[in-house]
Amino acid sequence: MRKLTSPKVLKELLKEYEFRFSKSLGQNFLIDDDALLSITQASDICKDDGVLEIGPGFGTLTQALCENAGKVVSVEIDKTVIPVLNENLSEFSNFKVINEDVMKIDLKNLIETEFSGYNVKVAANLPYYITTPIIMMLLESGLDFESIVIMVQKEVAERLCAKEGTKDFGAISLSVDYYAKAEIITHVPPTSFMPPPKVTSSVVKLTMRKDKKVNPKNEKLFFAVIKGAFSQRRKTMLNALSNFGIAPKDKLYQAFKNLGIDEKRRGETLSIEEFCALSDEIEKISLK
Ligand code: SAM
């Protein structure tokens, strides 16, 4: 099996297949054994697991996943990497590649047809141009993932894992916290990739919650309140929510008053429990 974390081996493959990295597809391939190990260890994969990988590239992470998992299905948008990938994974019978855009695929159907009887996990060194949409798509899919271990930009990792009252706390931190427990596993320097990206990266583990962290009466309104609260970061919650069109200002004011939450607070100071209580109260008052 070719050692794909070796820059020498990677260069040989580039030459052999006349392959050029695509910047627009976020092709920064991993060449660091420690970073690779941190993804596989955090994923804690065994033969009972079916792993969905997004963006296998030449298959560096894929090889490690195939060694431990029952089955690995990798979704790769770039058809030019497929022959290289298939060669590098030729010794694994538990591997399948799907040449598609992960944002356009019917994920529910894929999971049902490929991973019946398996615990499903996601592992990926994500393309950075599309990190947040992929994470939100996975979280909101309602699919029964056990965990999602991903390499992302460090700044994104910090926002995913941020706690209320910190500068990185925002709508995505709350969305992640609603569905999962998030932790940063390790930071990874640009030199761990070929070609090196401009930014430092981080491995993040999202362990999906069996029960959501809070139970808003109206989930759609709960997320709209979160979106509204962070739509104008410098404004007070009352103004931001009213400008966003969540409800008339007097009703919003009443909701804050009923809950004893100072309406001058800003979104980043509210906990997820407070957001839940607020959206429930807005719903109650708006229905009157
Ligand atoms: N897993 C490999 C590694 O760690 O060396 C490659 C990771 S590279 C950061 C991201 C990969 O995602 C590339 O192979 C790229 O072609 C692929 N990709 C980009 N956009 C994609 C999309 N929308 N759907 C599926 N794969 C995508």
Side-chain angles (χ1 to χ4, degrees), residues 248-260:
K249 205 166 183 173
D250 59 326
K251 298 221 171 196
L252 290 170
Y253 181 77
Q254 192 60 49
F256 278 103
K257 206 165 162 241
N258 291 355
L259 293 171

Side-chain angles (χ1 to χ4, degrees), residues 25-30 55-57 75-77 100-102 125 127 129:
L25 289 179
Q27 290 180 341
N28 304 96
F29 292 179
L30 207 51
V75 180
E76 170 60 59
I77 197 170
E100 282 218 45
D101 179 343
V102 74
N125 172 15
Y129 75 99

Side-chain angles (χ1 to χ4, degrees), residues 3-246:
K3 186 173 160 42
L4 299 172
T5 47
S6 156
K8 187 170 166 278
V9 171
L10 212 52
K11 278 179 192 155
E12 283 166 10
L13 282 169
L14 293 175
K15 206 169 159 205
E16 189 182 329
Y17 285 88
E18 295 177 353
F19 182 84
R20 282 166 189 258
F21 291 113
S22 159
K23 215 173 172 182
S24 63
L25 289 179
Q27 290 180 341
N28 304 96
F29 292 179
L30 207 51
I31 50 165
D32 179 336
D33 285 317
D34 291 337
L36 188 62
L37 198 64
S38 63
I39 299 179
T40 51
Q41 280 183 344
S43 302
D44 193 20
I45 287 160
C46 68
K47 293 290 169 198
D48 293 335
D49 296 328
V51 183
L52 170 69
E53 187 197 13
I54 298 162
F58 281 2
T60 317
L61 174 60
T62 326
Q63 285 180 340
L65 296 172
C66 285
E67 276 170 356
N68 298 301
K71 185 169 182 184
V72 177
V73 175
S74 304
V75 180
E76 170 60 59
I77 197 170
D78 183 2
K79 70 174 187 321
T80 69
V81 309
I82 307 294
V84 198
L85 180 65
N86 278 330
E87 188 198 318
N88 289 334
L89 272 297
S90 58
E91 69 186 71
F92 294 101
S93 57
N94 60 347
F95 167 68
K96 179 171 176 178
V97 61
I98 297 177
N99 183 200
E100 282 218 45
D101 179 343
V102 74
M103 295 303 292
K104 295 193 178 144
I105 206 161
D106 181 348
L107 216 50
K108 185 168 182 283
N109 181 50
L110 184 155
I111 304 292
E112 278 168 9
T113 51
E114 302 293 346
F115 292 134
S116 160
Y118 287 111
N119 300 322
V120 186
K121 295 179 174 172
V122 178
N125 172 15
L126 287 180
Y128 291 174
Y129 75 99
I130 198 177
T131 310
T132 307
I134 292 177
I135 295 170
M136 289 316 297
M137 183 266 290
L138 293 171
L139 291 176
E140 289 172 353
S141 68
L143 296 167
D144 192 15
F145 299 120
E146 209 169 284
S147 63
I148 300 173
V149 177
I150 40 179
M151 177 91 75
V152 298
Q153 306 95 307
K154 182 166 173 264
E155 287 145 46
V156 174
E158 283 165 351
R159 278 194 269 132
L160 295 177
C161 303
K163 300 278 172 268
E164 73 252 24
T166 64
K167 72 168 177 26
D168 294 319
F169 190 65
I172 186 126
S173 329
L174 282 154
S175 298
V176 168
D177 194 26
Y178 182 63
Y179 295 105
K181 209 164 73 56
E183 56 186 314
I184 293 179
I185 303 295
T186 190
H187 297 300
V188 181
T191 49
S192 297
F193 302 86
M194 185 192 282
K198 289 205 169 69
V199 293
T200 298
S201 303
S202 305
V203 176
V204 171
K205 179 170 186 174
L206 308 179
T207 307
M208 302 305 286
R209 298 184 191 282
K210 293 266 170 279
D211 298 307
K212 311 250 171 67
K213 180 132 184 213
V214 289
N215 290 300
K217 292 200 177 80
N218 179 342
E219 197 180 61
K220 215 170 142 205
L221 179 64
F222 170 68
F223 281 111
V225 169
I226 289 173
K227 205 167 166 201
F230 291 97
S231 61
Q232 292 177 299
R233 269 189 170 260
R234 295 222 203 109
K235 295 234 186 290
T236 64
M237 278 278 283
L238 181 63
N239 286 333
L241 291 181
S242 126
N243 292 346
F244 198 71
I246 293 289

